[in-house]
Short mmCIF file of all heavy atoms in Angstrom, two decimals:
data_model
loop_
_atom_site.label_atom_id
_atom_site.label_comp_id
_atom_site.label_asym_id
_atom_site.label_seq_id
_atom_site.Cartn_x
_atom_site.Cartn_y
_atom_site.Cartn_z
N GLN A 1 2.27 -8.40 -3.11
CA GLN A 1 1.69 -8.01 -1.88
C GLN A 1 1.93 -6.54 -1.68
O GLN A 1 3.13 -6.14 -1.62
CB GLN A 1 2.26 -8.81 -0.69
CG GLN A 1 1.97 -10.36 -0.77
CD GLN A 1 2.64 -11.08 0.38
OE1 GLN A 1 3.47 -10.55 1.09
NE2 GLN A 1 2.29 -12.38 0.58
N LEU A 2 0.90 -5.71 -1.70
CA LEU A 2 1.08 -4.31 -1.56
C LEU A 2 0.91 -3.86 -0.14
O LEU A 2 -0.25 -4.02 0.42
CB LEU A 2 0.09 -3.56 -2.50
CG LEU A 2 0.12 -3.96 -3.96
CD1 LEU A 2 -0.99 -3.23 -4.69
CD2 LEU A 2 1.48 -3.61 -4.54
N PHE A 3 1.90 -3.30 0.52
CA PHE A 3 1.80 -2.89 1.91
C PHE A 3 1.67 -1.31 1.91
O PHE A 3 2.53 -0.63 1.41
CB PHE A 3 3.01 -3.29 2.73
CG PHE A 3 3.10 -4.76 2.89
CD1 PHE A 3 3.72 -5.55 1.94
CD2 PHE A 3 2.54 -5.32 4.03
CE1 PHE A 3 3.80 -6.96 2.14
CE2 PHE A 3 2.67 -6.70 4.24
CZ PHE A 3 3.23 -7.53 3.27
N GLY A 4 0.55 -0.85 2.52
CA GLY A 4 0.35 0.63 2.54
C GLY A 4 -1.04 0.96 3.12
O GLY A 4 -1.81 0.13 3.51
N ASP A 5 -1.31 2.25 3.08
CA ASP A 5 -2.55 2.80 3.57
C ASP A 5 -3.68 2.52 2.54
O ASP A 5 -3.63 3.06 1.42
CB ASP A 5 -2.38 4.35 3.75
CG ASP A 5 -3.62 5.02 4.29
OD1 ASP A 5 -4.70 4.39 4.36
OD2 ASP A 5 -3.52 6.21 4.65
N PRO A 6 -4.66 1.75 2.93
CA PRO A 6 -5.72 1.37 1.96
C PRO A 6 -6.43 2.60 1.39
O PRO A 6 -6.82 2.62 0.22
CB PRO A 6 -6.70 0.50 2.80
CG PRO A 6 -5.80 -0.03 3.92
CD PRO A 6 -4.83 1.06 4.22
N ALA A 7 -6.62 3.63 2.21
CA ALA A 7 -7.34 4.83 1.70
C ALA A 7 -6.57 5.54 0.58
O ALA A 7 -7.20 6.15 -0.30
CB ALA A 7 -7.55 5.81 2.84
N LYS A 8 -5.23 5.35 0.56
CA LYS A 8 -4.50 6.01 -0.47
C LYS A 8 -4.15 5.00 -1.66
O LYS A 8 -4.05 5.47 -2.82
CB LYS A 8 -3.12 6.54 0.09
CG LYS A 8 -3.27 7.62 1.12
CD LYS A 8 -1.94 8.05 1.67
CE LYS A 8 -2.09 9.15 2.70
NZ LYS A 8 -0.77 9.60 3.26
N VAL A 9 -4.03 3.75 -1.33
CA VAL A 9 -3.56 2.78 -2.34
C VAL A 9 -4.77 2.18 -3.15
O VAL A 9 -4.73 2.11 -4.35
CB VAL A 9 -2.79 1.63 -1.71
CG1 VAL A 9 -2.44 0.54 -2.71
CG2 VAL A 9 -1.51 2.16 -1.10
N LYS A 10 -5.83 1.77 -2.43
CA LYS A 10 -6.95 1.11 -3.09
C LYS A 10 -7.54 1.89 -4.26
O LYS A 10 -7.82 1.25 -5.32
CB LYS A 10 -7.99 0.74 -2.06
CG LYS A 10 -9.04 -0.22 -2.60
CD LYS A 10 -9.98 -0.72 -1.49
CE LYS A 10 -10.96 -1.74 -2.01
NZ LYS A 10 -11.88 -2.26 -0.92
N PRO A 11 -7.76 3.16 -4.16
CA PRO A 11 -8.36 3.90 -5.29
C PRO A 11 -7.52 3.93 -6.55
O PRO A 11 -8.03 4.18 -7.64
CB PRO A 11 -8.56 5.34 -4.76
CG PRO A 11 -8.57 5.17 -3.27
CD PRO A 11 -7.68 4.07 -2.97
N LEU A 12 -6.24 3.62 -6.42
CA LEU A 12 -5.31 3.68 -7.57
C LEU A 12 -5.25 2.34 -8.30
O LEU A 12 -4.77 2.32 -9.45
CB LEU A 12 -3.90 4.03 -7.12
CG LEU A 12 -3.74 5.43 -6.36
CD1 LEU A 12 -2.35 5.53 -5.80
CD2 LEU A 12 -4.03 6.52 -7.32
N ILE A 13 -5.69 1.26 -7.70
CA ILE A 13 -5.65 -0.04 -8.32
C ILE A 13 -6.76 -0.17 -9.36
O ILE A 13 -7.94 -0.11 -9.07
CB ILE A 13 -5.77 -1.15 -7.27
CG1 ILE A 13 -4.64 -1.06 -6.24
CG2 ILE A 13 -5.79 -2.51 -7.92
CD1 ILE A 13 -4.76 -2.04 -5.08
N LYS A 14 -6.36 -0.37 -10.60
CA LYS A 14 -7.33 -0.51 -11.69
C LYS A 14 -7.77 -1.96 -11.86
O LYS A 14 -8.89 -2.20 -12.28
CB LYS A 14 -6.66 -0.05 -12.99
CG LYS A 14 -6.30 1.46 -13.03
CD LYS A 14 -5.64 1.83 -14.31
CE LYS A 14 -5.27 3.34 -14.31
NZ LYS A 14 -4.59 3.73 -15.58
N ASN A 15 -6.91 -2.93 -11.52
CA ASN A 15 -7.21 -4.31 -11.67
C ASN A 15 -6.54 -5.08 -10.53
O ASN A 15 -5.30 -5.01 -10.39
CB ASN A 15 -6.71 -4.83 -13.04
CG ASN A 15 -6.97 -6.32 -13.24
OD1 ASN A 15 -7.52 -6.97 -12.39
ND2 ASN A 15 -6.53 -6.81 -14.39
N SER A 16 -7.26 -5.68 -9.70
CA SER A 16 -6.71 -6.32 -8.50
C SER A 16 -6.24 -7.74 -8.75
O SER A 16 -5.85 -8.45 -7.76
CB SER A 16 -7.77 -6.35 -7.36
OG SER A 16 -8.96 -7.09 -7.79
N GLU A 17 -6.23 -8.19 -9.99
CA GLU A 17 -5.71 -9.55 -10.28
C GLU A 17 -4.28 -9.69 -9.82
O GLU A 17 -3.40 -8.88 -10.18
CB GLU A 17 -5.78 -9.79 -11.83
CG GLU A 17 -5.32 -11.21 -12.21
CD GLU A 17 -5.35 -11.41 -13.70
OE1 GLU A 17 -5.76 -10.46 -14.45
OE2 GLU A 17 -4.92 -12.47 -14.17
N ARG A 18 -3.98 -10.72 -9.09
CA ARG A 18 -2.69 -11.05 -8.51
C ARG A 18 -2.09 -9.94 -7.68
O ARG A 18 -0.86 -9.85 -7.57
CB ARG A 18 -1.72 -11.45 -9.64
CG ARG A 18 -2.01 -12.88 -10.19
CD ARG A 18 -1.06 -13.29 -11.26
NE ARG A 18 -1.39 -12.72 -12.54
CZ ARG A 18 -0.61 -11.98 -13.28
NH1 ARG A 18 0.58 -11.63 -12.84
NH2 ARG A 18 -1.04 -11.50 -14.47
N LEU A 19 -2.98 -9.11 -7.12
CA LEU A 19 -2.56 -8.04 -6.23
C LEU A 19 -3.27 -8.26 -4.89
O LEU A 19 -4.50 -8.35 -4.88
CB LEU A 19 -2.86 -6.63 -6.75
CG LEU A 19 -2.24 -6.23 -8.06
CD1 LEU A 19 -2.66 -4.79 -8.40
CD2 LEU A 19 -0.75 -6.39 -8.09
N THR A 20 -2.54 -8.25 -3.79
CA THR A 20 -3.13 -8.36 -2.46
C THR A 20 -2.74 -7.14 -1.65
O THR A 20 -1.53 -6.84 -1.48
CB THR A 20 -2.68 -9.64 -1.73
OG1 THR A 20 -3.01 -10.77 -2.51
CG2 THR A 20 -3.30 -9.71 -0.33
N LEU A 21 -3.75 -6.37 -1.23
CA LEU A 21 -3.46 -5.14 -0.50
C LEU A 21 -3.51 -5.48 1.01
O LEU A 21 -4.48 -6.01 1.53
CB LEU A 21 -4.53 -4.08 -0.76
CG LEU A 21 -4.40 -2.76 0.01
CD1 LEU A 21 -3.08 -2.13 -0.15
CD2 LEU A 21 -5.55 -1.83 -0.43
N LEU A 22 -2.40 -5.18 1.70
CA LEU A 22 -2.25 -5.44 3.13
C LEU A 22 -2.12 -4.08 3.84
O LEU A 22 -1.15 -3.38 3.62
CB LEU A 22 -1.05 -6.33 3.39
CG LEU A 22 -1.17 -7.73 2.73
CD1 LEU A 22 0.17 -8.44 2.72
CD2 LEU A 22 -2.13 -8.58 3.45
N ALA A 23 -3.04 -3.81 4.72
CA ALA A 23 -3.15 -2.49 5.35
C ALA A 23 -2.04 -2.26 6.35
O ALA A 23 -1.72 -3.15 7.19
CB ALA A 23 -4.50 -2.36 6.03
N THR A 24 -1.38 -1.09 6.28
CA THR A 24 -0.43 -0.64 7.31
C THR A 24 -0.89 0.69 7.85
O THR A 24 -1.66 1.40 7.23
CB THR A 24 0.99 -0.49 6.72
OG1 THR A 24 0.96 0.45 5.69
CG2 THR A 24 1.46 -1.83 6.15
N THR A 25 -0.43 1.01 9.06
CA THR A 25 -0.87 2.25 9.74
C THR A 25 0.22 3.28 9.89
O THR A 25 0.01 4.36 10.38
CB THR A 25 -1.40 1.87 11.10
OG1 THR A 25 -0.41 1.22 11.88
CG2 THR A 25 -2.64 0.96 10.99
N GLU A 26 1.46 2.90 9.50
CA GLU A 26 2.62 3.82 9.71
C GLU A 26 3.42 3.95 8.42
O GLU A 26 3.44 3.05 7.56
CB GLU A 26 3.50 3.31 10.84
CG GLU A 26 2.82 3.25 12.22
CD GLU A 26 3.72 2.62 13.25
OE1 GLU A 26 4.15 1.54 13.07
OE2 GLU A 26 3.98 3.34 14.28
N GLU A 27 4.17 5.07 8.34
CA GLU A 27 5.09 5.27 7.23
C GLU A 27 6.44 5.72 7.72
O GLU A 27 6.49 6.46 8.72
CB GLU A 27 4.55 6.34 6.21
CG GLU A 27 3.26 5.94 5.52
CD GLU A 27 2.80 7.08 4.58
OE1 GLU A 27 3.68 7.82 4.03
OE2 GLU A 27 1.58 7.25 4.42
N ILE A 28 7.50 5.30 7.07
CA ILE A 28 8.85 5.73 7.36
C ILE A 28 9.17 6.83 6.32
O ILE A 28 9.27 6.44 5.17
CB ILE A 28 9.85 4.65 7.39
CG1 ILE A 28 9.52 3.65 8.53
CG2 ILE A 28 11.27 5.17 7.61
CD1 ILE A 28 10.42 2.41 8.61
N THR A 29 9.35 8.07 6.71
CA THR A 29 9.64 9.11 5.81
C THR A 29 11.13 9.13 5.46
O THR A 29 11.95 8.51 6.07
CB THR A 29 9.22 10.50 6.37
OG1 THR A 29 9.97 10.74 7.57
CG2 THR A 29 7.73 10.45 6.69
N MET A 30 11.46 9.93 4.42
CA MET A 30 12.82 10.02 3.92
C MET A 30 13.83 10.52 4.96
O MET A 30 14.97 10.14 4.95
CB MET A 30 12.92 10.89 2.65
CG MET A 30 12.23 10.25 1.43
SD MET A 30 13.00 8.71 0.91
CE MET A 30 12.15 8.41 -0.65
N GLY A 31 13.35 11.41 5.84
CA GLY A 31 14.31 12.09 6.73
C GLY A 31 14.53 11.37 8.06
O GLY A 31 15.34 11.79 8.88
N GLU A 32 13.86 10.23 8.28
CA GLU A 32 13.98 9.54 9.57
C GLU A 32 15.22 8.75 9.71
O GLU A 32 15.77 8.23 8.72
CB GLU A 32 12.76 8.64 9.81
CG GLU A 32 11.45 9.37 9.98
CD GLU A 32 10.30 8.46 10.33
OE1 GLU A 32 10.34 7.92 11.48
OE2 GLU A 32 9.42 8.21 9.50
N GLU A 33 15.72 8.60 10.95
CA GLU A 33 16.89 7.79 11.21
C GLU A 33 16.50 6.33 11.01
O GLU A 33 15.59 5.84 11.63
CB GLU A 33 17.36 8.04 12.68
CG GLU A 33 18.83 7.60 12.96
CD GLU A 33 18.97 6.09 13.03
OE1 GLU A 33 18.08 5.45 13.67
OE2 GLU A 33 19.94 5.49 12.52
#
């Protein structure tokens, strides 16, 4: 189950077999508490 921004993740998937893309709208960056 791939959780992420579809606009950034979907173009990178070459074969969707056994992969489920679940759209998210937020990211937690490295510097956040």
Side-chain angles (χ1 to χ4, degrees):
Q1 296 177 348
L2 305 176
F3 291 87
D5 182 350
K8 296 179 180 179
V9 175
K10 191 172 182 179
L12 300 173
I13 299 175
K14 297 178 180 179
N15 177 1
S16 61
E17 181 184 358
R18 286 182 278 122
L19 303 182
T20 301
L21 176 56
L22 298 166
T24 60
T25 59
E26 297 176 301
E27 294 180 34
I28 296 177
T29 62
M30 291 296 189
E32 293 188 69
E33 197 284 320

